Amino acid sequence: MGREWETLLADEVAKPYFMELQAFIDHEYQTKTIYPPKDEIYRAFDTVDYSDVRVVILGQDPYPGANQAMGLSFSIHADQPLPRSLVNIFKELHDDLGITNTCGDLMPWAKQGVFLLNTVLSVEAGNANSHRNQGWEMFTDRVITLLSNREKPMVFVLWGNAARRKSVLIHSRHLVVESAHPSPLSARNGFFGSRVFSRINTWLVSQNDKPIDWRT
């Protein structure tokens, strides 16, 4: 983790629930195939430190398919085929800003201050949502609250009902962009046509900040 994150979360990771979560995760990695690789669980925190966050894109849990998840929400390893949610994200990006992405590794976004956070940070292979209700949600709620408490505004992107429920944690000084999830099951219910990428950049410019280059 970045130095600021380590300081801000020191009390949180010392709590009993987190110690229990850590014991659960350690056992899962020892006995099953778990994604992302253990050393990539906190990649979002390694890549974007607290003060550098400009945009938060909140996901649910990592992709459960083989060799896809890499510690950033919605992102995959560069050599993997695009999951359907990411196909839809890139379709909306093209319709919005005319950008055509074919590489699913979103690290170029993260390096510009896009904090790609899942509410649950690990998953059993082939078993979506398998690490829900083990403590990750308490941890990431604390992360969202810490970001919300920051004086310098940022953008929170909440796709789908699970993410949208987190809006109660977010201070009104920040821009909250909500829509349906980019999943094939729901993308046509308000994700397509939401123009999220241009809305983020317009707001950043209004804050005397530079826009995100959404190319991968």
Side-chain angles (χ1 to χ4, degrees), residues 15-206:
K15 291 180 177 178
Y17 90 85
F18 193 86
M19 295 180 181
E20 292 175 8
L21 168 64
Q22 194 61 59
F24 166 78
I25 293 300
D26 288 345
H27 182 263
E28 289 285 288
Y29 274 96
Q30 289 167 9
T31 58
K32 301 175 184 176
T33 300
I34 305 298
Y35 298 123
K38 198 172 185 181
D39 62 353
E40 296 179 356
I41 288 178
Y42 297 104
R43 178 170 278 182
F45 300 83
D46 294 335
T47 309
V48 191
D49 214 346
Y50 179 75
S51 294
D52 299 324
V53 176
R54 304 166 65 206
V55 179
V56 180
I57 297 181
L58 193 62
Q60 189 163 302
D61 67 338
Y63 296 119
N67 303 314
Q68 290 183 314
M70 43 80 79
L72 304 176
S73 65
F74 297 103
S75 182
I76 58 170
H77 288 288
D79 59 348
Q80 295 298 308
L82 300 181
R84 290 179 295 173
S85 290
L86 193 52
V87 169
N88 288 340
I89 289 169
F90 284 173
K91 181 182 185 303
E92 178 61 23
L93 175 61
H94 180 266
D95 291 348
D96 188 5
L97 292 175
I99 294 171
T100 300
N101 284 340
T102 57
C103 175
D105 185 345
L106 305 183
M107 183 62 78
W109 296 5
K111 288 181 177 178
Q112 298 175 77
V114 180
F115 191 60
L116 295 158
L117 177 68
N118 280 315
T119 56
V120 174
L121 300 187
S122 58
V123 69
E124 182 183 347
N127 191 5
N129 296 316
S130 52
H131 286 182
R132 287 177 65 185
N133 301 321
Q134 297 293 336
W136 278 131
E137 294 91 343
M138 293 175 65
F139 176 75
T140 53
D141 276 3
R142 178 58 181 158
V143 171
I144 295 166
T145 299
L146 286 167
L147 289 165
S148 176
N149 290 344
R150 202 186 72 180
E151 196 64 33
K152 184 179 179 181
M154 68 191 77
V155 184
F156 286 85
V157 179
L158 309 180
W159 287 330
N161 291 335
R164 295 170 93 163
R165 285 194 287 269
K166 304 298 182 181
S167 63
V168 297
L169 302 174
I170 301 170
H171 194 278
S172 59
R173 77 173 67 90
H174 306 290
L175 175 66
V176 176
V177 179
E178 301 183 38
S179 78
H181 195 276
S183 158
L185 299 175
S186 56
R188 299 191 182 281
N189 296 328
F191 176 75
F192 289 141
S194 61
R195 299 184 61 85
V196 57
F197 302 100
S198 60
R199 289 168 67 188
I200 290 168
N201 280 352
T202 297
W203 186 85
L204 288 171
V205 170
S206 77

